[in-house]
Amino acid sequence: QVSGSDPARRILGQLAPPLPATLQVRQGGSVTDLAADGLGRFSGKLGAGPFSLVCTAGAESGRPVATEWIAL
């Protein structure tokens, strides 16, 4: 879920199945790291423009999973 507007835009989400993980928000030329807790919940700031999420859920999960680019 994306809420707010610049500069207070935020992303809020939950992984399914719920598990702790590291997420990266790719946006423009920058990457922001987020952490999902034991219930898979994560949140963070989000700028204007297209973004993509990359999720890495530990060594046992295999490769990272990335979303398509999402336009705001």
Side-chain angles (χ1 to χ4, degrees), residues 1-3 10-14 34 41-44 46 53:
Q1 173 181 337
V2 175
S3 62
R10 296 191 58 81
I11 185 167
L12 172 71
Q14 185 172 14
L34 301 177
R41 300 174 298 192
F42 63 91
S43 67
L46 190 64
L53 297 174

Side-chain angles (χ1 to χ4, degrees), residues 33-61:
D33 292 327
L34 301 177
D37 66 14
L39 297 175
R41 300 174 298 192
F42 63 91
S43 67
K45 293 182 180 180
L46 190 64
F51 71 96
S52 173
L53 297 174
V54 179
C55 177
T56 306
E60 69 281 351
S61 68

